[in-house]
Amino acid sequence: KDWASGHYQVAELPGSVSKLKWAYGSLDSEQEKEFVLRRIEMLKQKRMPDQLKRSLTELVSTAQEAVRSFAAESILRRLQKGSPGSACEQEAILRARSTVSLRDIQRVFSLFQFFQQSFVITCCETGNEERILRHSMLLTIAVAYYLRLDHESRSKFINVIQRIPTERQESEQLLDVLNVAMDNITRETEVPTGIALTRGLKENIFMTLVCSLSNTPLMIVGPPGSSKTLSINIVTDNANGEESPSPFYRKFVRLSIFHYQCSKASTSKEVASVFEKAIQRQQNVDPTKHKCLVFMDEAGLPEEEKESLKVLHYYLEGHMSTKAEVGFVAITNHVLDAAKSNRCVMLLRQDPDHDELLSIARGVLFDATVSGSYSTRQIDCGGLKITPDDFASSLCQSYIHLLHDKGRFKWFELFFGLRDFIFFLKAIRRAVDTKDMVMTLCHQRLVDALERNFSGSDLGRLKEIVICFIGPIVSSGELSLDKTLSSLRHPVDVVKDALKQGNMQGELSLRPRFKLIIDESEDDSILRLLGNSGALKCSERSFFKLSTMPEGTELEKSKLVSGVKYAALQGHLAVLSETEQVNESFYDLFNMNFRSLKNSEGEVSLYANIAVGGISRRSLVRPSFQCVVHVNSSTVDELPAPFLNRFEKFRLNVSGMLDSGLRKL
């Protein structure tokens, strides 16, 4: 959310060395503009009209200053919030200077040449060179500056750009050209069924493809569930060179992914090893047909004290900002420090607004297409007749209310996120019956979907969530809210039902998540009680637990990861307990964005990346595979949000297990 300053601050030098520092200096606004103009004159291409030279110069210099201005405002607000009365506007301006630099200007010219020579996607008329140059300029500004900003700053940025004298008389503006480019790409991209093609996903796909093909390092920053990993999988599934499913992608090289799963224990040696493998592979293939790409998943996890990602400085650019040897895409939940983010193009994905949430809901619930057509005409919800748009809008409004009410629901954002909402929608989709374009959904199925995807906290909070989601619907129908709340099941019964149903039945995109058991007992009694009740059929071969002994730790971790890989391969149950040290190895598996590949006989196989240290390999996952992760309630607050959001969460205690058993006697 703090796109301008990130989670890192640089402390003042101690007095003993302050006199040894040297102010390297920087270019002021006029010097930057002069640098841009001289750099344009060095471009190796056909003669560029003077008008377009002036236009590009103004665009780049104005964009640089606009981003710094917005960054200063954002940093000042953060300083004022942290220490009211002592925040200094001059300090905010000084900090904001590093938000953009000469590296961004260098990238502008690299991207400009890429768009107008190798990636003409908005206008294909031959002989219209000026229009191609104009579109290339605007797309370059969008990639280098516009898409890094938050919602508010993006609106301000467009206003600033439109006030440039050279832009006032132009009929085609930045957003027009960007939207056409994204639509053209997504139209030619095969997207899995059940995936809503939202504005956010379009931006992710556009930036991933452009930056991968142009060897421009990219960092996608966004909350869990904002389609970051999904977009990487979609692009690499489509970009297969001459074997690509779409003629559009056949014009480009095949992208080969070198995956690195970050963790708190990541080391610079592991990161360097992945890059070296990608570089070695790139040197042995035809660069006109094959391009290697390093994909760094959850780049915000490594501990900053270890500086394990500092090695990126070397691999993301050569001397004087020359091109990196391989492509690079990193995804993270928060902005990294300026030394790293400054070496990448950045795409900021914030929490979706109501319109984008509505697009997600329409796509998941009703298979809504880009043109707006639905597979459903009416919703019959417990006798209440409602239109698809009103039903989806009510659910989205309830989620936004829970997320943004910092007073009453401050706890909600700390425990739940967008991925929980999306899988709630998928649970509704699995539960409905559709006939003659009428979708029938009883209230109990709606309650069941909430129990599965918004549990894990105490019962009182679950009731508040149910009231928020179902209250507006119940108030318009015949069913009372009290009767709805009385239908809530005991948490143990919900868990047993979830474990009985499993994970991998039905359509791949609609399958429920794996399960996270939050154990409130002090001796891990819950797993034993679930096993004794028959809800969790866990054998010795399917139970994986790390010991607390320091001896043989690395070997034990490797054996555990291998055991889980084998369980996934065989389609068996895997129960993980006290595995916090290796959970990051399974992030892609837990995410359930499986890559599907067909063999020559048309049979589909599912794959996920599973990491052992710095080595990440694509592993086969059978559709019958189930996974249950067990954690102690005392450690929940320390678990990262990307981990929590990957599971259906259930909080259990011994008394609850006994109550559930007694009620059946």
Side-chain angles (χ1 to χ4, degrees):
K1 294 182 179 179
D2 300 313
W3 66 271
S5 53
H7 286 206
Y8 297 77
Q9 299 295 335
V10 179
E12 287 286 342
L13 287 173
S16 58
V17 296
S18 61
K19 292 187 178 182
L20 300 178
K21 67 181 180 182
W22 176 46
Y24 186 78
S26 60
L27 303 182
D28 59 32
S29 301
E30 289 302 316
Q31 290 171 327
E32 274 190 348
K33 183 181 289 190
E34 179 69 18
F35 175 79
V36 172
L37 181 59
R38 299 304 174 210
R39 186 66 178 79
I40 290 174
E41 293 174 349
M42 295 170 58
L43 290 176
K44 297 178 181 179
Q45 62 176 48
K46 297 178 182 179
R47 176 172 171 79
M48 186 175 182
D50 291 338
Q51 178 187 353
L52 286 177
K53 288 182 180 180
R54 290 193 299 271
S55 180
L56 181 56
T57 301
E58 289 296 330
L59 279 170
V60 175
S61 57
T62 302
Q64 289 267 119
E65 288 306 306
V67 172
R68 286 189 180 120
S69 173
F70 304 150
E73 293 173 7
S74 177
I75 293 171
L76 182 60
R77 285 195 299 268
R78 190 180 181 198
L79 291 174
Q80 289 173 339
K81 185 177 180 180
S83 53
S86 62
C88 174
E89 183 176 354
Q90 196 59 39
E91 181 184 356
I93 293 173
L94 186 62
R95 290 192 185 190
R97 289 295 300 176
S98 63
T99 309
V100 288
S101 67
L102 290 181
R103 285 194 181 101
D104 295 278
I105 296 176
Q106 296 279 30
R107 274 194 293 268
V108 162
F109 295 107
S110 173
L111 286 166
F112 178 65
Q113 290 186 298
F114 170 74
F115 278 121
Q116 60 106 4
Q117 293 176 5
S118 308
F119 204 73
V120 180
I121 53 173
T122 55
C123 53
C124 302
E125 302 95 324
T126 57
N128 198 343
E129 292 297 328
E130 284 197 25
R131 190 161 179 247
I132 292 176
L133 289 171
R134 165 79 181 161
H135 285 198
S136 300
M137 287 165 44
L138 294 177
L139 289 175
T140 296
I141 297 300
V143 171
Y145 300 104
Y146 173 74
L147 291 171
R148 72 166 66 188
L149 303 172
D150 57 23
H151 296 313
E152 180 184 356
S153 298
R154 286 187 183 187
S155 298
K156 292 180 181 179
F157 184 86
I158 294 299
N159 292 333
V160 170
I161 293 298
Q162 289 176 344
R163 289 199 298 267
I164 299 175
T166 55
E167 291 296 303
R168 290 174 184 169
Q169 70 272 19
E170 296 289 348
S171 58
E172 293 179 306
Q173 297 296 324
L174 186 147
L175 277 184
D176 301 325
V177 176
L178 176 61
N179 289 335
V180 169
M182 292 195 299
D183 288 341
N184 287 348
I185 289 176
T186 51
R187 191 181 300 115
E188 299 291 339
T189 303
E190 287 191 0
V191 178
T193 56
I195 301 298
L197 200 55
T198 62
R199 169 83 184 188
L201 182 56
K202 287 182 180 180
E203 289 182 1
N204 288 351
I205 292 173
F206 170 75
M207 288 288 280
T208 301
L209 182 61
V210 167
C211 293
S212 298
L213 294 178
S214 64
N215 260 24
T216 304
L218 169 66
M219 187 179 297
I220 306 178
V221 182
S226 52
S227 305
K228 300 186 297 294
T229 305
L230 175 63
S231 62
I232 307 294
N233 291 340
I234 289 174
V235 169
T236 53
D237 285 344
N238 281 269
N240 286 311
E242 296 175 354
E243 298 176 6
S244 300
S246 165
F248 171 78
Y249 281 91
R250 290 176 203 149
K251 298 182 295 185
F252 306 117
V253 297
R254 177 192 293 271
L255 293 178
S256 294
I257 290 285
F258 287 76
H259 180 271
Y260 178 71
Q261 177 61 60
C262 292
S263 68
K264 292 180 180 179
S266 291
T267 65
S268 57
K269 186 176 180 180
E270 291 176 353
V271 176
S273 174
V274 176
F275 271 96
E276 290 298 332
K277 289 175 183 176
I279 292 171
Q280 184 178 9
R281 171 66 173 162
Q282 186 66 66
Q283 292 171 345
N284 293 324
V285 296
D286 183 352
T288 63
K289 295 183 178 181
H290 206 108
K291 187 177 291 293
C292 296
L293 174 71
V294 174
F295 170 43
M296 182 171 283
D297 199 357
E298 301 296 349
L301 286 179
E303 297 177 358
E304 60 177 288
E305 292 84 1
K306 296 182 178 179
E307 294 191 338
S308 52
L309 299 187
K310 195 169 184 178
V311 70
L312 289 176
H313 301 182
Y314 170 76
Y315 287 106
L316 295 188
E317 63 180 14
H319 179 61
M320 292 297 291
S321 300
T322 56
K323 279 285 186 184
E325 294 185 67
V326 294
F328 174 78
V329 178
I331 62 174
T332 172
N333 298 126
H334 61 78
V335 181
L336 303 187
D337 64 284
K340 296 172 187 63
S341 58
N342 197 257
R343 287 174 163 83
C344 300
V345 164
M346 191 170 78
L347 170 61
L348 182 67
R349 295 253 42 86
Q350 290 191 292
D351 290 321
D353 57 17
H354 183 272
D355 289 341
E356 188 164 352
L357 271 181
L358 193 57
S359 296
I360 294 172
R362 287 168 174 166
V364 174
L365 294 173
F366 316 122
D367 290 329
T369 62
V370 179
S371 62
S373 62
Y374 289 174
S375 62
T376 304
R377 176 173 47 83
Q378 189 180 65
I379 310 291
D380 183 347
C381 189
L384 173 67
K385 303 296 191 296
I386 186 172
T387 65
D389 266 347
D390 288 343
F391 180 71
S393 182
S394 174
L395 298 179
C396 294
Q397 196 59 50
S398 298
Y399 174 73
I400 290 173
H401 177 61
L402 287 164
L403 197 64
H404 293 163
D405 189 340
K406 304 300 183 185
R408 184 180 173 190
F409 300 113
K410 184 179 179 180
W411 48 268
F412 184 85
E413 186 182 20
L414 301 176
F415 200 69
F416 300 108
L418 180 60
R419 192 176 277 124
D420 297 291
F421 179 68
I422 292 173
F423 276 88
F424 162 60
L425 297 175
K426 292 182 178 183
I428 295 175
R429 176 65 184 273
R430 291 195 306 272
V432 298
D433 296 318
T434 303
K435 185 178 181 181
D436 297 331
M437 297 187 71
V438 176
M439 183 179 284
T440 304
L441 174 68
C442 66
H443 282 97
Q444 187 57 48
R445 293 292 182 90
L446 199 55
V447 173
D448 292 347
L450 288 168
E451 288 177 325
R452 289 284 294 269
N453 294 283
F454 289 102
S455 290
S457 190
D458 58 64
L459 184 59
R461 289 179 174 178
L462 176 59
K463 287 183 176 180
E464 289 187 86
I465 293 172
V466 171
I467 291 171
C468 191
F469 274 105
I470 297 185
I473 299 173
V474 170
S475 62
S476 303
E478 300 176 358
L479 193 66
S480 69
L481 191 57
D482 290 339
K483 190 173 181 180
T484 301
L485 293 176
S486 66
S487 68
L488 287 172
R489 295 174 293 172
H490 194 283
V492 176
D493 296 329
V494 179
V495 173
K496 289 181 178 179
D497 182 57
L499 293 173
K500 182 180 179 181
Q501 290 184 16
N503 292 83
M504 307 293 279
Q505 299 116 352
E507 190 176 331
L508 178 61
S509 62
L510 295 178
R511 291 170 181 171
R513 293 173 289 178
F514 297 131
K515 314 299 181 282
L516 179 69
I517 305 296
I518 302 172
D519 189 348
E520 292 190 336
S521 70
E522 296 181 359
D523 58 354
D524 301 340
S525 301
I526 296 302
L527 284 181
R528 293 194 297 273
L529 292 173
L530 284 174
N532 293 336
S533 68
L536 188 62
K537 298 177 182 179
C538 178
S539 65
E540 185 176 338
R541 293 182 62 184
S542 62
F543 183 71
F544 303 94
K545 184 174 183 177
L546 284 177
S547 71
T548 56
M549 301 297 291
E551 294 83 5
T553 302
E554 293 305 317
L555 179 60
E556 186 183 10
K557 289 179 184 177
S558 297
K559 287 182 177 179
L560 188 148
V561 173
S562 298
V564 175
K565 286 178 67 174
Y566 182 75
L569 174 65
Q570 297 297 317
H572 296 160
L573 169 70
V575 179
L576 283 66
S577 180
E578 296 182 17
T579 55
E580 287 81 5
Q581 297 179 60
V582 295
N583 282 339
E584 290 95 342
S585 299
F586 307 114
Y587 265 35
D588 195 50
L589 178 68
F590 293 157
N591 205 25
M592 294 186 66
N593 276 331
F594 301 118
R595 299 188 65 182
S596 57
L597 298 177
K598 287 184 180 180
N599 60 18
S600 57
E601 298 178 357
E603 297 176 341
V604 177
S605 298
L606 306 179
Y607 293 88
N609 286 306
I610 297 179
V612 182
I615 303 173
S616 183
R617 292 286 184 270
R618 189 181 295 175
S619 302
L620 183 64
V621 182
R622 296 289 181 190
S624 56
F625 173 67
Q626 289 193 60
C627 184
V628 176
V629 178
H630 168 259
V631 299
N632 192 278
S633 60
S634 61
T635 66
V636 171
D637 292 340
E638 301 171 8
L639 297 175
F643 175 79
L644 282 174
N645 286 174
R646 281 167 161 82
F647 297 94
E648 292 181 5
K649 299 168 279 290
F650 304 100
R651 186 180 294 266
L652 302 178
N653 52 46
V654 175
S655 61
M657 294 291 297
L658 294 176
D659 288 342
S660 176
L662 289 173
R663 283 188 291 106
K664 293 183 178 181
L665 295 177

